[in-house]
Amino acid sequence: MSDRPAGWLSDRELTEVRGAENAYPSPVPTQIVSNGEYNPLPQTENQRKVEGLISEYADKYSKHQGIDRRSFMKSASGFAAAFLAMNQVFGPVWNVSEAEAADKDMADDRAKKLSNQFIFDDQTHFVRDDFDKEGLLGLSKWALEHHWNPKIADTPMTLARLKFENYLKEIYLDSDTKIALLSTAPFDDPSWYFLFNDQLRDAREAINKVAGTRRMFAHAVFTPGQGDWMNEVDRAIAEYKPDSWKGYTIGDPLSPSTKSTTWRLDDEKLVYPFYEKAVKSGIKNICIHKGLLPRDYEKSWPGVWQHATVDDVGKAAKDNPDINFIIYHGALRVFLEDPSYELDLFDKTGEIRWVTDLAKIPEKYGVTNVYGELGTTFATSAVANPRFAAAVVGSLVNGLGVDRVVWGTDSVWYGSPQWQIEAMRRLEIPDDMAKKQGWKISKLGGDDSPIKRKIFGENSARLYNYKITAELEQQLSQDKLAQMKDVYNKEGVERNNAFYGYVGKKTV
């Protein structure tokens, strides 16, 4: 008997994927990585070209710098080489120069200057100590290949990589993330819960106690229509004191069975009483999973997939102006065809399926309390086609407004979030795209521009009443976690380039 839920990749789909740890160990993934909530497309020809160019740059500049390829790939110059390769294949989307790939000191100086940038990751995950579902790894018994990359050849992929100790390393030591919001998801089978609400609370308290500052925030999951769910809401308010709420209108995100309870944000009878409790408690941020469905969602999720759209957001936001609706994944409907098809569709219509629906809500409903979060969506888009990543971010920034797009990475499902941070720092909207779409916000600016500072952290800080002051920034640079990171860096511990989950086997 399989220990994966029914909605996990099917047996047929599992023959089409392999563990992401088998992927090319690039600083940036060279094909789409899935955490299992959707089936990743195979590597495209353009992605294969990127991979080849990265390898060429690694050969050339590792010799130039007098280091081995592996060390180069883990360096700031290695990051630059990856974005340089993508620009060569997809066109100029990333702000990067070949000088960064060639000159170690130049690349390191840039990285050091940006290391104190305030980054608030609005969606992170790890699993509880007794979580035993090997299916979450994306390889195990279903993977047909077990070719470990050099970094982890002597450390087999286990669930330890998705647990607390590795989370601490990947989020706080291997990336420039300063604040992390810890999340989880509801399942029909309770044994599949990554973390329960009380464990979210305990993890938050443990991290903040060790740090001596407020480095972690935490959700509490609410499940309308399931059992005695409102009593759990009352318990959360009284005992867990979450910083925000997390909900899945589709029910169990991996098992759209008849057992799952779907619901709508605009259900006045079922959900509006919850909003009243949330407002009264002062916990007014509600984060909602939308989008990210399998390619055959209409067939495999009948009667469920509609709940992953945003057609219930506008009315709920208008009726409940004191609630902040933070729509996770930007509502992106997963790529059902080749990424070039999605980009062509955008070029022709100016729309990205489901993302544009979200972006239009403020104008359509006259609301200012709807936000778009970028977890998984930005990572997937950046790897699939950088121009599409620019289209997604440009659409959200111009539709929702620069004050209502928030940073999230869905890590540690995809390993350290540093590569995503680097991608956002370097992202720019191409001139021809901005002109064709008639966007008022046509430029995102440099690594630390006002717009990127808002996306990376200022918008979430405002939502969570986290005051960014010079005193706070000094505390974050000197607290216990900062001291741990300083020792970690001085000891020369390398950031790994491991990705966790699934990648497609074939090339299209």
Side-chain angles (χ1 to χ4, degrees), residues 418-436:
Q418 187 64 22
W419 71 267
Q420 297 186 51
I421 293 170
E422 276 297 306
M424 177 55 73
R425 282 171 173 165
R426 296 180 183 275
L427 183 71
E428 189 52 272
I429 299 171
D431 291 338
D432 63 311
M433 179 184 293
K435 183 177 180 180
K436 185 173 183 178

Side-chain angles (χ1 to χ4, degrees), residues 90-353:
F90 292 106
V93 174
W94 313 114
N95 292 318
V96 64
S97 69
E98 190 162 354
E100 291 180 67
D103 189 329
K104 180 180 185 300
D105 290 339
M106 179 181 179
D108 287 348
D109 183 62
R110 172 188 172 276
K112 184 176 180 180
K113 288 179 179 177
L114 291 169
S115 63
N116 288 325
Q117 190 175 40
F118 182 79
I119 296 175
F120 189 132
D121 194 329
D122 198 65
Q123 186 178 183
T124 68
H125 297 272
F126 69 83
V127 299
R128 52 195 161 82
D129 286 343
D130 60 348
F131 187 88
D132 61 358
K133 308 303 182 184
E134 292 287 334
L136 192 62
L137 287 171
L139 51 92
S140 191
K141 69 185 73 174
W142 302 297
L144 299 181
E145 301 173 51
H146 293 281
H147 303 297
W148 310 100
N149 70 43
K151 177 65 179 175
I152 61 174
D154 56 351
T155 309
M157 177 71 76
T158 69
L159 283 169
R161 292 190 177 270
L162 303 182
K163 294 185 179 181
F164 177 76
E165 185 175 350
N166 194 54
Y167 171 92
L168 181 67
K169 173 184 180 294
E170 302 274 25
I171 299 294
Y172 293 108
L173 303 186
D174 280 344
S175 88
D176 291 334
T177 303
K178 301 300 180 295
I179 312 297
L181 174 59
L182 184 60
S183 190
T184 187
F187 296 95
D188 293 338
D189 178 355
S191 71
W192 264 88
Y193 266 71
F194 308 142
L195 293 166
F196 296 102
N197 284 339
D198 61 332
Q199 293 173 321
L200 290 165
R201 173 202 60 196
D202 294 346
R204 176 187 61 190
E205 292 179 358
I207 286 287
N208 292 338
K209 182 177 180 179
V210 167
T213 56
R214 197 176 183 190
R215 287 293 202 111
M216 178 174 280
F217 288 68
H219 279 143
V221 168
F222 69 108
T223 56
Q226 291 189 12
D228 202 4
W229 71 281
M230 281 294 264
N231 273 345
E232 177 63 10
V233 168
D234 290 335
R235 185 179 300 110
I237 292 171
E239 299 178 19
Y240 310 146
K241 302 187 187 307
D243 300 293
S244 55
W245 305 95
K246 176 77 173 290
Y248 283 70
T249 51
I250 58 173
D252 184 326
L254 299 181
S255 184
S257 67
T258 55
K259 293 189 299 179
S260 290
T261 302
T262 56
W263 51 280
R264 292 178 59 90
L265 289 166
D266 58 3
D267 187 325
E268 297 183 22
K269 183 177 179 180
L270 177 66
V271 187
Y272 280 32
F274 162 71
Y275 297 150
E276 293 176 10
K277 282 182 179 286
V279 171
K280 186 176 180 180
S281 71
I283 308 168
K284 299 184 290 185
N285 294 332
I286 297 180
C287 305
I288 301 296
H289 172 102
K290 293 286 189 179
L292 295 193
L293 296 188
R295 277 182 276 177
D296 63 346
Y297 70 96
E298 291 176 297
K299 179 181 178 180
S300 63
W301 292 41
V304 175
W305 70 263
Q306 296 90 339
H307 293 267
T309 71
V310 294
D311 69 349
D312 57 344
V313 175
K315 181 181 183 301
K318 190 173 184 66
D319 290 348
N320 300 276
D322 292 330
I323 294 289
N324 297 312
F325 292 88
I326 303 163
I327 306 305
Y328 271 23
H329 315 299
L332 179 70
R333 196 190 89 175
V334 74
F335 301 126
L336 304 182
E337 296 83 17
D338 185 284
S340 62
Y341 176 87
E342 298 289 336
L343 187 59
D344 288 344
L345 184 66
F346 172 75
D347 286 339
K348 292 175 182 177
T349 67
E351 297 198 352
I352 300 170
R353 290 177 286 183

Side-chain angles (χ1 to χ4, degrees), residues 307-496:
H307 293 267
T309 71
V310 294
D311 69 349
D312 57 344
V313 175
K315 181 181 183 301
K318 190 173 184 66
D319 290 348
N320 300 276
D322 292 330
I323 294 289
N324 297 312
F325 292 88
I326 303 163
I327 306 305
Y328 271 23
H329 315 299
L332 179 70
R333 196 190 89 175
V334 74
F335 301 126
L336 304 182
E337 296 83 17
D338 185 284
S340 62
Y341 176 87
E342 298 289 336
L343 187 59
D344 288 344
L345 184 66
F346 172 75
D347 286 339
K348 292 175 182 177
T349 67
E351 297 198 352
I352 300 170
R353 290 177 286 183
W354 299 10
V355 172
T356 300
D357 295 333
L358 172 62
K360 289 181 175 179
I361 286 175
E363 181 179 8
K364 184 177 179 180
Y365 288 89
V367 298
T368 59
N369 58 334
V370 175
Y371 295 73
E373 184 265 354
L374 295 171
T376 289
T377 288
F378 179 71
T380 300
S381 301
V383 172
N385 190 308
R387 279 184 64 89
F388 193 73
V392 169
V393 175
S395 296
L396 292 174
V397 165
N398 279 277
L400 297 176
V402 296
D403 294 327
R404 291 184 289 280
V405 179
V406 301
W407 180 247
T409 67
D410 236 353
S411 295
V412 295
W413 300 150
Y414 309 120
S416 170
Q418 187 64 22
W419 71 267
Q420 297 186 51
I421 293 170
E422 276 297 306
M424 177 55 73
R425 282 171 173 165
R426 296 180 183 275
L427 183 71
E428 189 52 272
I429 299 171
D431 291 338
D432 63 311
M433 179 184 293
K435 183 177 180 180
K436 185 173 183 178
Q437 300 303 325
W439 284 338
K440 290 183 178 180
I441 301 170
S442 60
K443 289 292 181 185
L444 299 176
D447 300 329
D448 196 34
S449 70
I451 289 176
K452 288 181 182 174
R453 286 200 297 270
K454 285 177 180 289
I455 293 172
F456 269 137
E458 291 176 1
N459 292 339
S460 283
R462 187 183 68 255
L463 281 167
Y464 289 91
N465 296 315
Y466 195 79
K467 305 298 182 183
I468 306 174
T469 63
E471 181 182 3
L472 171 66
E473 291 181 327
Q474 184 176 13
Q475 290 174 353
L476 294 178
S477 69
Q478 297 176 350
D479 69 6
K480 188 64 175 178
L481 285 180
Q483 294 172 33
M484 290 168 62
K485 185 171 184 177
D486 185 54
V487 171
Y488 177 82
N489 290 332
K490 287 179 179 178
E491 290 180 349
V493 181
E494 294 181 325
R495 168 186 52 80
N496 67 55

